[in-house]
């Protein structure tokens, strides 16, 4: 809808697609600033501190001040780094996280590209993040960076498998890979959301319910691992690896990694919300439909979508400041010996229920 | 120039330039990352041809799988930078004859084939067609490939387990 509007406004497909493609950026950057502040506040309150309090009301301008500082900082590149790859890597990592936003339906009025293979596309572009992290680790010419990068790549590649199996579970129920269709399948009543068995009539829904809850838990755990968040943050474990793959980075390039991390956190939360919690749908009807103001509906949908996304980002932070870090072997054991078999059996059972 | 033309030229330039760099870079890591750009460019051209499923599978398999494997292999190999990579020209005369002949065949095929030209249109998703074909006509090949992959997986696991 927004794309057609822009195409009409400028009279050119090319300009319209550039602007339409830049729109998520307008969302991602303020979100990252907000999320960094939120992370500091959440961590502080979990540890009985106050966190940033000086800049603005309860420190809400702290991250803006931080980013101004980071922009002014000297761009340090250590002598033996591989200059070209060192400079490209942060951009590539951010590109991978940002590309996922192209297929995420923010509301029924705005989706970057409503392709039929939406969810598969998101799985595909997350591979770019791995390539970028490996590039950063290699180019830094630092053993901690390289260890961090290799750990991170191994972790992301392993945890993609349970994620994809759970996605398949949802796809089997809905019968489409299109994220808009998956969202429309779950109506604006919360008991029709996928985590409660989807909008299927009859006894099938009740049988499906427990397996959908299991699927949601699995995809949430593996999305934590894919964003390298605690308890799965061994790629940047401070006590062992200094800062992991971004040890050598400073200034704006370091900020790019942070931007990518927070963009990625929102992306995986948004995907979990779209697949299992109704996406942009409100849990109980729309105010716009009730009062006859139809134009209000997309705005409400955008509100619910961001609310769900930010809630899951908050849960990620909550977990980060509550749980200890896993060891490498525990991490791989959890993925290969528990999550993948459970996800696979879960998938088979759901497929069987849908066939019957 | 409409959007599809513009995108085609962008992807074509990305593919050709990065493919050129894959063979000319002396640093194997640079070549690997150029290869990533080549894969992405080819995926873009697949999308423009209306083959959306194969484009995304190309990105998943080649960028997310094979390229990461190449990078892992390169990064975990000790002293890979010290191996001299030959990129100078050798056997110039036989090579140019072969390339000339092969290129000539390709160009003449391009010129002489009567291409089926169709009006450009927004292609429908090929996903359900691909699914139906795989599950009906090509079911035997599909299953065989599945067994082949399973055998490869079991083999890899058993090799890794011995140590």
């Amino acid at each position: 809808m927004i794309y057609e509007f822009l195409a009409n406004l400028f009279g050119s497909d090319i300009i319209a697609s550039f602007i339409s493609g830049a729109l998520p950026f307008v969302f991602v950057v303020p979100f990252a600033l907000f999320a960094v502040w939120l992370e500091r506040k959440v961590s502080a309150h979990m540890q009985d501190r106050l966190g940033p309090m000086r800049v603005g009301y309860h420190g809400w301008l702290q991250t803006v001040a931080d980013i101004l500082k980071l922009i002014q900082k000297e761009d340090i590149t250590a002598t033996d780094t591989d200059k070209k790859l060192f400079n490209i890597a942060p951009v590539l990592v951010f590109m991978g996280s940002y590309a996922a936003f192209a297929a995420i339906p923010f509301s029924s009025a705005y989706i970057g590209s409503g392709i039929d293979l939406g969810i598969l596309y998101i799985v595909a572009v997350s591979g770019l993040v791995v390539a970028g992290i490996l590039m950063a680790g290699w180019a830094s010419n630092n053993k901690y960076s390289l260890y961090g990068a290799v750990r991170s790549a191994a972790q992301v590649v392993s945890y993609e498998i349970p994620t994809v199996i759970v996605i398949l579970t949802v796809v089997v129920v809905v019968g489409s890979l299109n994220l808009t269709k998956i969202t429309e399948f779950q109506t604006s009543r919360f008991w029709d959301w996928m985590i409660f068995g989807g909008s299927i009539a009859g006894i099938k829904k009740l049988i499906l319910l427990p397996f959908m809850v299991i699927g949601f838990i699995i995809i949430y755990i593996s999305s934590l691992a894919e964003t390298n968040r605690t308890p799965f943050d061994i790629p940047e474990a401070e006590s062992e690896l200094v800062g992991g793959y971004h040890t050598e980075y400073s200034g704006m390039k370091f900020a790019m990694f942070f931007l990518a991390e927070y963009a990625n956190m929102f992306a995986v939360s948004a995907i979990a919300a779209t697949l299992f919690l109704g996406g942009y749908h409100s849990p109980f009807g729309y105010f716009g439909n009730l009062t006859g103001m139809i134009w209000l509906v997309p705005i409400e949908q955008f509100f619910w979508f961001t609310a769900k996304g930010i809630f899951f980002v908050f849960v990620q932070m909550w977990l980060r400041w509550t749980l200890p870090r896993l060891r490498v072997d525990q991490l791989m054991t959890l993925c290969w010996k528990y999550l993948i078999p459970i996800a696979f059996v879960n998938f088979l059972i759901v497929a069987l229920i849908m066939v019957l | 120039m409409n959007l599809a033309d513009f995108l085609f030229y962008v992807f074509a330039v990305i593919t050709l330039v990065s493919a050129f760099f894959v063979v000319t870079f002396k640093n194997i890591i640079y070549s690997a990352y150029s290869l990533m750009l080549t894969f992405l460019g080819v995926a873009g051209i697949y999308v423009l041809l209306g083959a959306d499923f194969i484009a995304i599978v190309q990105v998943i398999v080649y960028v997310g799988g094979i390229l990461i494997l190449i990078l892992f292999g390169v990064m975990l190999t000790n002293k890979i930078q010290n191996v001299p990579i030959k990129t100078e020209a050798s056997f110039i005369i036989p090579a140019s004859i072969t390339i000339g002949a092969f290129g000539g065949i390709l160009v003449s095929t391009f010129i002489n084939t009567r291409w089926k030209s169709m009006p450009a249109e927004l292609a429908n998703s090929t996903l359900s067609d691909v699914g139906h074909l795989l599950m009906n006509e090509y079911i035997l090949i599909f299953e065989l490939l599945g067994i082949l992959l399973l055998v490869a997986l079991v083999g890899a696991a058993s090799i890794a387990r011995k140590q």
Side-chain angles (χ1 to χ4, degrees):
Chain A
M1 248 167 99
I2 286 191
Y3 175 76
E4 281 89 21
F5 170 73
L6 286 169
N8 283 334
L9 191 68
F10 293 101
S12 160
D13 279 359
I14 298 173
I15 299 172
S17 15
F18 267 110
I19 294 176
S20 179
L23 272 180
F25 200 70
V26 181
F27 174 77
V28 167
V29 173
F31 170 77
L33 289 177
F34 169 73
V36 172
W37 173 78
L38 187 70
E39 173 111 58
R40 295 178 68 176
K41 286 308 250 191
V42 168
S43 68
H45 285 281
M46 297 238 163
Q47 297 169 342
D48 214 2
R49 296 182 284 120
L50 282 174
M53 285 295 280
R54 307 250 165 168
V55 195
Y57 178 72
H58 277 255
W60 72 279
L61 281 171
Q62 183 65 49
T63 39
V64 179
D66 281 347
I67 208 82
L68 286 176
K69 183 193 77 176
L70 281 171
I71 289 171
Q72 293 168 40
K73 270 198 167 181
E74 185 191 349
D75 182 28
I76 300 168
T77 320
T79 339
D80 278 338
T81 52
D82 193 320
K83 300 274 180 317
K84 286 182 209 122
L85 294 186
F86 189 77
N87 290 331
I88 298 171
V91 184
L92 187 63
V93 172
F94 180 66
M95 201 178 91
S97 329
Y98 187 68
F101 282 84
I104 293 177
F106 279 90
S107 84
S108 57
Y110 179 73
I111 174 167
S113 168
I115 45 172
D116 265 354
L117 294 156
I119 188 71
L120 202 61
Y121 163 82
I122 290 175
V123 171
V125 290
S126 67
L128 285 181
V129 180
V130 186
I133 287 174
L134 277 176
M135 187 192 264
W138 167 265
S140 296
N141 198 10
N142 173 334
K143 54 180 170 292
Y144 296 120
S145 297
L146 188 59
Y147 267 128
V150 170
R151 276 185 182 185
S152 173
Q155 180 177 326
V156 175
V157 170
S158 310
Y159 276 88
E160 254 174 22
I161 302 169
T163 314
V164 172
I165 295 174
V166 173
I167 288 171
L168 271 181
T169 317
V170 174
V171 169
V172 161
V173 176
V174 180
S176 170
L177 288 163
N178 189 330
L179 278 170
T180 316
K181 275 189 194 147
I182 292 175
T183 312
E184 289 301 331
F185 181 78
Q186 314 166 54
T187 56
S188 60
R189 289 172 310 220
F190 66 86
W191 58 87
D192 275 347
W193 288 354
M194 203 53 96
I195 194 166
F196 300 117
S199 59
I200 302 167
I203 193 80
K204 226 180 222 185
K205 182 181 162 86
L206 278 179
I207 306 172
L208 222 50
L209 197 147
F211 302 109
M212 282 302 170
V213 174
I214 294 172
F216 177 72
I217 293 169
I218 290 172
I219 203 174
Y220 198 76
I221 294 174
S222 39
S223 67
L224 272 179
E226 275 190 52
T227 45
N228 299 327
R229 298 284 298 178
T230 325
F232 308 106
D233 66 339
I234 53 157
E236 31 192 278
E238 294 93 343
S239 47
E240 307 163 29
L241 291 180
V242 195
Y245 54 86
H246 48 58
T247 304
E248 295 286 343
Y249 284 88
S250 62
M252 242 358 249
K253 284 183 216 148
F254 178 71
M256 282 293 273
F257 277 115
F258 251 67
L259 188 63
E261 182 177 335
Y262 283 93
N264 218 349
M265 274 166 74
F266 185 80
V268 294
S269 306
I271 292 159
T274 309
L275 290 177
F276 282 98
L277 288 169
Y280 53 68
H281 278 307
S282 144
F284 29 75
Y286 293 108
F287 188 68
N289 278 339
L290 209 66
T291 53
M293 291 185 284
I294 299 297
W295 54 269
L296 203 62
V297 173
I299 300 168
E300 274 183 78
Q301 287 173 336
F302 181 73
F303 166 75
W304 284 110
F305 188 76
T306 39
K308 284 170 194 170
I310 288 173
F311 174 73
F312 283 122
V313 170
F314 169 71
V315 177
Q316 289 187 352
M317 290 169 182
W318 181 4
L319 290 174
R320 173 168 178 187
W321 298 98
T322 323
L323 297 176
R325 181 181 297 138
L326 264 69
R327 276 200 324 266
V328 184
D329 58 324
Q330 291 170 332
L331 183 99
M332 287 299 161
T333 310
L334 177 70
C335 178
W336 292 94
K337 289 195 181 159
Y338 296 97
L339 290 185
I340 292 178
I342 293 172
F344 201 69
V345 171
N346 196 39
F347 168 60
L348 285 182
I349 293 172
V350 169
L352 209 64
I353 293 171
M354 289 313 289
V355 168
L356 291 177
Chain B
M1 192 161 82
N2 64 15
L3 187 63
D5 289 342
F6 175 74
L7 288 176
F8 171 75
Y9 286 116
V10 169
F11 285 126
V13 167
I14 288 175
T15 311
L16 289 178
V17 171
S18 62
F20 177 75
F21 281 137
V22 172
V23 278
T24 50
F25 271 138
K26 297 210 171 176
N27 188 330
I28 197 160
I29 293 275
Y30 284 13
S31 297
Y33 279 110
S34 311
L35 195 62
M36 181 184 81
L37 281 181
T38 317
F39 289 148
L40 289 178
V42 172
I45 290 172
Y46 279 142
V47 171
L48 289 175
L49 288 173
D52 51 354
F53 182 70
I54 204 158
I56 287 170
V57 169
Q58 155 105 0
V59 175
I60 292 180
V61 171
Y62 283 95
V63 178
I66 290 177
L67 187 89
I68 303 291
L69 262 183
I70 292 175
L71 287 173
F72 254 78
V74 171
M75 284 178 186
L76 295 177
T77 309
N78 203 12
K79 289 182 181 165
I80 199 149
Q81 299 283 24
N82 299 347
V83 180
I85 299 171
K86 274 176 108 177
T87 47
E88 86 265 26
S90 48
F91 301 113
I92 294 177
I93 299 166
S96 49
I97 292 172
T98 323
I99 290 169
F102 188 64
I105 293 170
L106 275 184
V107 169
S108 67
T109 328
F110 273 137
I111 294 168
N112 293 329
T113 309
R114 226 184 280 149
W115 296 102
K116 202 163 82 179
S117 68
M118 290 205 305
E121 55 183 34
L122 211 59
N124 287 322
S125 174
T126 54
L127 181 64
S128 59
D129 297 338
V130 170
H132 281 295
L133 281 178
L134 278 182
M135 280 294 132
N136 293 313
E137 268 181 58
Y138 301 106
I139 181 74
L140 194 66
I141 299 166
F142 184 69
E143 292 291 327
L144 270 177
L145 284 177
I147 291 168
L148 187 70
L149 281 176
L150 185 70
V151 168
L153 263 178
V154 172
S158 81
I159 289 170
R161 206 166 172 90
K162 267 175 198 157
Q163 284 130 27

